[in-house]
Amino acid sequence: VDLSGEVAIVTGGSRNIGLAIAAGLYRAGARVCIVGRSDRNALDRALETLGGDAASCLGELLHVGDEEAVTPLFERVAATFGPVTILVNGAAERPHVPFSEMTLQSWNDVVETILTGAFLTSRELFRRLPDDRNAAIVNIGGLSAHRPGRDRAHVIAAKSGLVGLTRALAAEGQGRIRANAIVPGAIDSDRRPGQSRPFEMDESLGTCDDVAGTVLAFSNPADVYVTGQTVHVSGGRFMP
Ligand SMILES: NC(=O)c1ccc[n+]([C@@H]2O[C@H](COP(=O)([O-])OP(=O)(O)OC[C@H]3O[C@@H](n4cnc5c(N)ncnc54)[C@H](OP(=O)(O)O)[C@@H]3O)[C@@H](O)[C@H]2O)c1
């Protein structure tokens, strides 16, 4: 996949799966902006991992659910690299909390990050894409939306909404802007203190690079006919 001339934003790109995606896009020739929310050290390490210079890599900390942060992000990226042609919406919060104890604040935080964030970033891409360019949006889904379990109603609802948003974006962008969703299965990734794993460690796990490889394929500007799809990268854990 040759992404030279492409400009990518990867939200949630400062760690784990998002970082592997950003690195894959960067190695393929795209200029890349990584977005995290608050962890400056993780963002700096991610930029070091990419190994580029300021002419090819950017890092930003912001809340993707904040319209007043997302609009200037696209302005800065456009001013530095040019218009965004690849958008990966990977930012997510996935706390576990029993449904009857779920606060409105917790619900809103998760929905704002996963679903509202993808709406705001995608809308900026749609508004700013020059008429003579194609673009790809890749939304990172969650297996829990397809195989629901307990204590994650907000995540399940938001990730299910992301599948619907993906289809809506594919319809809106037909012929010019592709939108697809990639759903990772159980991926071997670092968890923060207190962050639980929704799967057993003895299950066979995928890697962040497994997900990144699929995102790369869906970002290929030469591949313009696949859109509106949800693809599971889960080693057969879920077969729609
Ligand atoms: N890991 C798995 O097994 C698995 C399985 C299925 C689906 N997924 C999906 O894959 C994606 C990546 O998962 P992961 O485990 O690799 O991620 P992760 O380690 O939990 O990292 C989350 C990333 O999102 C950023 N982020 C969180 N809230 C944000 C916000 N409001 N605005 C901007 N950035 C925000 C974080 O930045 P800070 O660090 O600065 O907060 C970080 O870069 C997620 O969408 C997740 O739902 C993962």
Side-chain angles (χ1 to χ4, degrees):
V1 177
D2 177 10
L3 299 184
S4 45
E6 307 298 323
V7 174
I9 289 181
V10 182
T11 75
S14 60
R15 310 160 55 84
N16 287 321
I17 293 174
L19 174 54
I21 292 169
L25 296 173
Y26 182 69
R27 280 195 300 267
R31 278 161 293 165
V32 176
C33 175
I34 290 174
V35 177
R37 181 167 193 172
S38 54
D39 190 336
R40 170 65 58 188
N41 289 336
L43 185 70
D44 289 345
R45 280 197 303 274
L47 290 168
E48 264 174 48
T49 304
L50 260 56
D53 57 18
S56 54
C57 303
L58 266 181
E60 297 275 345
L61 292 180
L62 53 88
H63 174 30
V64 290
D66 177 0
E67 185 173 26
E68 307 209 332
V70 170
T71 303
L73 166 74
F74 275 72
E75 278 163 7
R76 280 194 296 279
V77 172
T80 315
F81 296 153
V84 175
T85 55
I86 298 171
L87 169 64
V88 181
N89 286 309
E93 288 178 37
R94 295 110 77 207
H96 285 246
V97 52
F99 183 63
S100 53
E101 291 167 29
M102 193 171 283
T103 62
L104 178 60
Q105 184 65 52
S106 172
W107 171 275
N108 284 342
D109 286 347
V110 168
V111 172
E112 278 173 18
T113 292
I114 293 176
L115 191 52
T116 309
F119 156 63
L120 290 173
T121 55
S122 302
R123 193 185 61 179
E124 287 301 320
L125 183 146
F126 268 72
R127 284 180 173 171
R128 293 165 184 274
L129 188 72
D131 289 343
D132 60 345
R133 298 297 303 271
N134 291 332
I137 297 173
V138 183
N139 293 323
I140 307 301
L143 191 57
S144 59
H146 306 270
R147 256 183 35 177
R150 298 168 74 99
D151 298 344
R152 278 187 147 188
H154 40 16
V155 177
I156 293 168
K159 291 287 191 182
S160 299
L162 202 53
V163 172
L165 178 65
T166 302
R167 292 180 178 150
L169 296 175
E172 296 275 352
Q174 221 165 23
R176 210 158 73 86
I177 301 174
R178 289 159 290 130
N180 292 289
I182 305 292
V183 183
I187 302 299
D188 189 9
S189 52
D190 294 333
R191 303 273 154 162
R192 299 170 215 234
Q195 199 183 13
S196 59
R197 286 177 187 272
F199 44 82
E200 298 302 321
M201 276 309 286
D202 59 4
E203 291 183 77
S204 77
L205 304 181
T207 67
C208 293
D209 284 336
D210 290 330
V211 182
T214 310
V215 172
L216 193 61
F218 278 83
S219 305
N220 187 350
D223 182 5
V224 294
Y225 212 50
V226 180
T227 190
Q229 303 305 304
T230 297
V231 172
H232 291 258
V233 182
S234 67
R237 187 174 296 255
F238 181 77
M239 301 186 202

